[in-house]
């Protein structure tokens, strides 16, 4: 603003998202979430846009200084979506919103036990039919979702898949084999490294670029050829929770669709689709464990280190559990594939080291059990999240029982108690749960 022209406000969009909201005889400039209490009518500025706002007019100029129109869109979010309501923190509210967010992400995408191919757009079938490899790129929590999906895509669709950190991908020279599909995963759709990787991928000869994203108007969505939206609603807490489980849900839909196109056995396909449909109910059941987990959390409060173990799809789930704990409680937490324990981290295990293990009922359970014996033998304090149907013989340390779940539902289900654990540890340690120090919700600069 200038003193010489008090009725004029000038804004410019560079990297971070910026919207103009249109109220009754008034206009605002800012982040969409901050403006929702005032209006739901927004124009989303594009990269390089400059806007001149007066009391009764809004004029946008693009990066080349041409006057342009930016459509006014009505946001479907209501105020409840961005208010904490009865919850002490946004993170807790968002953890509890997961059954609904997952149901919303599935909504209209499954009919009569079948995933609807159109969820990916009209040309998706042909694109998937010719897909010979999948290359996933993302950051932070979104990368963990991609690492889980890698196991699904390879085992169900039989297609080679890699998942890697966007800031690494953008500075290396990847060898892209023919007919590889490039996939980005991002809650915000604005993460600088992921966006840069996506732009580079446009020059690297991929079959197509799919975005799994939570913000329809975001730069990543605009830059992609195919889009599968997560419908988590606004996520305010810096530590991602419902965005993660809805990303897993969307990735499961994608993996199963790719698998069907590539000839997955019909019964197996139907069983996995049914698993997906059962997810909201399973997650609601897991949320009931909160009082038990809050009690367990007390033991972590004085600790400075923790180890998280998992195998298969639950190795990235353990990584996500460790990330949550370090982000909001500032406890140093590391995740290991349980089979790697003997190659280093076992040296750290003693009575001061809490060890969290993710133990679903899968083909790796016996292997995991013997890893846990090794921890127990060294005096490590075990916290085991286990499928209650295979609890037998898992009496080492503290055991938290979860409902039975198959290979698609289990990684989503087991993520929930780990979120609750971190949340309660952080609350007891008195940290700023929703705004942890040094971290940002959306990292729009490199
Ligand atoms: C930041 C956030 C994380 C998030 C990561 C990637 O580090 O704090 O919660 O996982 O960015 O963000 P994106 O919006 O691309 O998923």
């Amino acid at each position: 603003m200038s003193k010489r022209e008090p009725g004029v406000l000038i804004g410019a969009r560079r990297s971070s998202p910026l919207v103009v909201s249109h109220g009754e005889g008034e206009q605002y400039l800012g982040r969409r979430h901050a403006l929702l209490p005032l209006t739901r009518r927004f124009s989303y500025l594009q990269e390089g846009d400059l806007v001149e706002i007066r009391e009764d007019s809004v004029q946008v100029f693009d990066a080349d200084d041409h006057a342009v129109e930016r459509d006014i869109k009505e946001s479907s979010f209501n105020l409840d979506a961005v208010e904490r309501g009865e919850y002490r923190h946004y993170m807790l509210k968002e953890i509890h919103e997961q059954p609904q967010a997952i149901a919303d992400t599935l909504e209209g995408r499954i009919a009569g036990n079948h995933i609807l191919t159109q969820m990916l757009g009209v040309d998706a079938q042909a694109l998937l039919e010719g897909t010979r490899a999948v290359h996933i790129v993302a950051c932070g929590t979104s990368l963990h979702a991609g690492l889980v999906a890698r196991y699904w895509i390879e085992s169900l669709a039989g297609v080679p898949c890699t998942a890697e950190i966007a800031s690494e991908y953008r500075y290396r020279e990847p060898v892209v084999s023919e007919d590889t599909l490039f996939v980005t995963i991002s809650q915000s759709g604005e993460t600088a490294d992921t966006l840069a990787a996506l732009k580079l991928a446009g020059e690297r000869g991929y079959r197509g670029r799919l975005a799994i994203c939570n913000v329809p108007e975001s730069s990543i969505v605009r830059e992609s050829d195919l889009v599968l939206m997560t419908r988590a609603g606004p996520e305010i807490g810096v530590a991602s929770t419902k965005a993660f489980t809805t990303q897993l849900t969307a990735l499961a839909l994608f993996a199963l669709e790719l698998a069907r196109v590539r000839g997955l056995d019909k019964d197996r396909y139907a069983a996995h689709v049914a698993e997906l449909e059962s997810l909201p109910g399973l997650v609601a059941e897991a949320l009931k464990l909160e009082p038990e987990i809050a009690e367990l959390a007390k033991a972590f409060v004085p600790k400075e280190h923790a180890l998280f173990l998992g195998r298969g799809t639950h190795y990235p789930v353990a990584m996500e559990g460790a990330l949550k704990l370090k982000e909001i409680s500032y406890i140093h937490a590391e995740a290991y594939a349980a089979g790697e324990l003997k190659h280093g981290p076992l040296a750290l295990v003693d009575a001061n080291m809490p060890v969290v293990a993710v133990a679903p009922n899968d083909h790796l359970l016996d292997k995991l059990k013997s890893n846990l014996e090794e921890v127990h033998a060294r005096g490590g304090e075990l916290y085991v999240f286990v499928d209650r149907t295979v609890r037998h013989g898992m009496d080492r340390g503290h055991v938290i029982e979860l409902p039975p779940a198959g290979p698609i539902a289990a990684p989503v289900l087991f993520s929930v108690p780990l979120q609750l654990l971190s949340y309660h540890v952080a609350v007891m340690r008195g940290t700023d749960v929703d705004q942890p120090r040094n971290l940002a919700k959306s990292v729009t600069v490199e």
Side-chain angles (χ1 to χ4, degrees):
M1 291 186 82
S2 162
K3 270 188 189 160
R4 274 178 288 159
E5 284 195 76
V8 184
L9 179 62
I10 304 286
R13 179 186 162 161
R14 178 91 178 258
S15 297
S16 299
L18 187 65
V19 303
V20 178
S21 72
H22 305 264
E24 296 294 323
E26 53 195 11
Q27 346 282 348
Y28 302 90
L29 191 64
R31 295 292 292 263
R32 184 185 53 169
H33 295 168
L35 297 175
L36 267 176
L38 302 164
T39 175
R40 282 208 250 154
R41 300 175 67 237
F42 300 113
S43 299
Y44 294 84
L45 296 184
Q46 294 188 9
E47 185 63 11
D49 277 0
L50 193 133
V51 62
E52 183 184 292
I53 299 177
R54 294 172 190 272
E55 196 186 330
D56 52 1
S57 70
V58 171
Q59 180 59 62
V60 181
F61 300 90
D62 67 10
D64 299 321
D65 212 17
H66 298 127
V68 284
E69 293 280 325
R70 297 284 177 237
D71 296 345
I72 300 178
K73 295 189 175 151
E74 188 92 18
S75 170
S76 55
F77 293 143
N78 56 25
L79 203 48
D80 288 351
V82 290
E83 281 188 341
R84 260 192 301 114
E86 72 205 73
Y87 292 97
R88 184 164 167 197
H89 294 101
Y90 280 109
M91 183 181 176
L92 187 61
K93 175 179 181 243
E94 289 158 6
I95 289 173
H96 281 271
E97 280 171 349
Q98 290 177 111
Q100 188 59 51
I102 292 168
D104 290 345
T105 301
L106 294 172
E107 172 77 32
R109 289 170 171 168
I110 300 179
N113 273 345
H114 232 85
I115 294 166
L116 301 171
T117 316
Q118 305 91 292
M119 71 176 181
L120 288 165
V122 277
D123 304 327
Q125 172 92 13
L127 189 112
L128 295 186
E129 271 169 13
T131 294
R132 296 283 173 270
V134 176
H135 204 157
I136 300 174
V137 167
C139 300
T141 289
S142 299
L143 175 70
H144 294 156
L147 288 166
V148 173
R150 184 167 73 100
Y151 289 85
W152 288 336
I153 289 168
E154 295 207 334
S155 69
L156 298 171
V159 163
C161 178
T162 58
E164 77 175 286
I165 300 168
S167 58
E168 287 298 310
Y169 173 87
R170 63 182 287 198
Y171 293 115
R172 70 181 187 92
E173 291 164 47
V175 178
V176 180
S177 52
E178 218 177 306
D179 291 324
T180 301
L181 182 66
F182 186 81
V183 180
T184 54
I185 308 168
S186 176
Q187 187 286 126
S188 62
E190 302 293 346
T191 302
D193 285 321
T194 311
L195 182 59
L198 172 62
K199 287 185 174 160
L200 269 172
E203 300 155 15
R204 287 178 172 172
Y206 285 93
R207 181 169 179 78
R209 294 174 305 159
L210 163 69
I212 302 220
C213 190
N214 196 40
V215 180
E217 308 79 14
S218 64
S219 307
I220 286 178
V221 166
R222 276 205 306 271
E223 181 77 26
S224 301
D225 319 312
L226 294 175
V227 174
L228 184 56
M229 296 309 300
T230 51
R231 299 182 188 137
E235 194 181 60
I236 313 282
V238 166
S240 187
T241 52
K242 62 176 179 170
F244 177 64
T245 48
T246 55
Q247 283 168 349
L248 288 176
T249 306
L251 284 161
L253 284 166
F254 165 69
L256 279 168
E257 183 51 18
L258 183 62
R260 185 194 61 80
V261 168
R262 311 226 3 115
L264 177 69
D265 170 80
K266 282 202 170 63
D267 292 343
R268 231 178 126 193
Y269 171 82
H272 292 321
V273 173
E275 260 188 78
L276 265 179
E277 289 187 296
S278 71
L279 256 182
L282 279 175
V283 169
E285 236 186 287
L287 288 171
K288 292 187 193 145
L289 294 168
E290 187 169 3
E292 195 184 328
I293 292 169
E295 196 54 37
L296 276 190
K298 290 179 185 161
F300 287 73
V301 176
K303 303 290 183 191
E304 286 310 322
H305 305 276
L307 204 55
F308 285 68
L309 301 177
R311 278 179 172 262
T313 45
H314 292 82
Y315 168 40
V317 167
M319 291 167 83
E320 177 59 11
L323 176 64
K324 286 294 85 105
L325 192 66
K326 71 185 120 185
E327 279 179 311
I328 59 169
S329 76
Y330 314 149
I331 293 175
H332 166 229
E334 235 183 311
Y336 260 87
E340 275 289 293
L341 195 59
K342 53 190 173 296
H343 297 297
L346 203 52
L348 296 170
V349 173
D350 61 15
N352 292 319
M353 176 68 92
V355 179
V356 178
V358 189
N361 180 15
D362 63 14
H363 62 294
L364 295 165
L365 186 63
D366 285 338
K367 301 268 176 211
L368 181 70
K369 278 184 182 172
S370 53
N371 300 136
L372 301 189
E373 280 303 326
E374 290 162 19
V375 171
H376 179 71
R378 271 90 187 166
E381 186 83 345
L382 275 169
Y383 297 83
V384 189
F385 292 88
V386 67
D387 178 325
R388 67 173 173 244
T389 59
V390 288
R391 188 198 198 286
H392 183 68
M394 298 283 281
D395 296 322
R396 305 296 194 199
H398 309 270
V399 177
I400 303 94
E401 295 182 10
L402 280 107
I408 298 286
V412 183
L413 177 68
F414 279 79
S415 298
V416 175
L418 298 183
Q419 298 166 347
L420 287 168
L421 177 67
S422 299
Y423 172 78
H424 285 284
V425 175
V427 169
M428 289 177 206
R429 280 172 67 105
T431 59
D432 188 344
V433 173
D434 285 332
Q435 290 283 334
R437 68 186 181 200
N438 311 339
L439 299 180
K441 181 71 191 155
S442 187
V443 183
T444 54
V445 288
E446 193 175 0

